[in-house]
Amino acid sequence: MTWEALILLLNSPNARWVLAGSLLLGAGCGLLGTFALLRRRSLMGDVLAHAALPGVALGFWVTGAKSVAPLLVGSLVTGLLGAAAVDGITRHSRIKEETAQALVLSVSYGMGVVLLTVLARTGLGGQSGLNRFLIGQAASLVRSDVLVIGGAALAVTLGVLLFFKELKLLAFDPEFGAGLGLPMALMDRLLMGLVVAAVAVGLQAVGVVLVAALLITPAAAARFWTERLERMAILSAAFGGLAGVAGALISLSRPQLPTGPLVVLVATGLLLISMAFGSSRGLVVQRVRQAGIRRRGLAGGTPVRWEGEAS
Amino acid sequence: MTPHDLWILLTAVLVAASLGFVGCFLILRRLAMVGDAISHSVLLGIVVAFLLTGSTGLLPMVLGAGAAGLLSTWMVELLRRAGVQEDAATGISFTAFFGLGVVLLTLHAGDVHLDTQHVLFGDLVYVPFDILAWRGWELGPRAVWTVGGALLIAGLTTWLFFKEFKVIAFDPAFAAVVGLPVAWITWLQTGLVTLVTVAAFESVGAILAVAMLVAPGATAFLLTDRLESMLGLSVLVGVPAAVAGYGLASWFDLSIAGATATMAGLLFALALLLAPHQGLLARWRARRRTPA
């Protein structure tokens, strides 16, 4: 893409809305993903995205509208139900967390598909709704959509900033947090609630499968660069925002290119670069460090780890 | 019941049986989400196989899908070795594969007659129309042969390696100590999961494949403490879910895959409530009988 083409692109108001939406979404999800990652809840994003389908279908059905807001509310409701189901099954039976996740994901998705077939028959266009749900519709975001997405992304960001200290404890040492008298179970639910909100918003833009990546990949990439939570959170938000903008630019540069998958591929590229060259845990640095240890004749030598974090 | 319905039902039953018992090992090894990951990664393989060979024949599709499934598992392993925790590694690799698959699909949208929906939601309704013929003989729907074959291979492999699978499922550390090739057996199991998922894919779609991989096994897990009975029960749970799902779907004209997943979820919910020892009700009563 030449500079003139880029400037021409940026002059179109629609492109600017798409870019703004992708930036806000990427940054908000990146920030939140830091905590989901450290709490080992990365895959919950994927689960909740699928659990949102029945809600999307219901929102569509009740209002018959194709605007973002009712779909958002629907996916919030069933997303929260899905989170509660995973939590309940894990807590009250011997079913393990991953099994409960896969179960809730696939069964609620099945229910959603059933609802969509009902919708398709009533002529409300379940098929187009489904397509949109699958790969998102970032390229056709309009001003009102971006306002909703931006507002929600901002709310998620504020939520994280407000409870930063509590979420930090939750990520590293929930027992210590509970010992301090902080309601750690409630904080865990808050984190899941924020993830539900982020997923409900992300769905609109990048679709059900790829929204999980917005929460996971930037955070995992940031992890290679630092051992400090604050830096990791900022970096993760920056990677997410960068992936959002770059992905949107690439997809706008050629017609027919879907935004969501490109955002995810840019994020994956950032992850691979970080994995190789990350200044804290990157493969190159690890090699150099190991060679140094060997030269000095010290036995063993493990990279520094955060307390409470397994290798 | 027309022969048409019977073929659909037979396919659904075979799918439920093959996914159900392979899923048991995934659940015991805490790998349930790997099934989800494989079923999404497979899209890339199907698209690449189509772009390379230009056909939607069975062999290129299965080979492409299988290769993508194993490649994504390999990528998870690679990320894990580089220090990414396992759940994140799984999420990163399947979204990357899926994203690349969608991009390729849309770039070649003009000359690809594969739509995302068919790949992801394959529909049982079309099963009886795709007949496998050999020298002029009609051998029944292709899907029955694919899924049946996958079931046979998975069954035979499990039977051959039953002892190894069992030890690794319950005590991988012990298995490693007594010298079992844990890594190889894990690859073998991943291969089986890929095989049954891919075989089930074109007739029931990705999401139902995940549902039938997990729900019957999880239900059986609540009903018994023995691996042998868990395997049998998972089939016994999966088959009625498939039959009930099909009945519900044809009665109300719904998506068969969706209705089956819903029924499987319902059976799990029933077991969660009412299982003799593990059920919520039984647990509550046991707690009441023994005052703390």
Side-chain angles (χ1 to χ4, degrees), chain A residues 213-236:
Chain A
L214 293 184
L215 283 164
I216 304 172
T217 311
R223 187 69 190 90
F224 283 104
W225 294 95
T226 174
E227 303 291 326
R228 292 195 53 82
L229 178 67
E230 289 78 5
R231 278 185 208 150
M232 180 179 164
I234 293 169
L235 253 181
S236 177

Side-chain angles (χ1 to χ4, degrees), chain A residues 4 26 37-38 45 90 98 156 173 189 191 220 235 241 267 275 280:
Chain A
E4 291 89 63
L37 182 92
L38 294 172
T90 316
E98 324 76 36
V156 167
D173 201 346
R189 296 218 174 109
L191 179 62
L235 253 181
M275 189 166 109
S280 172

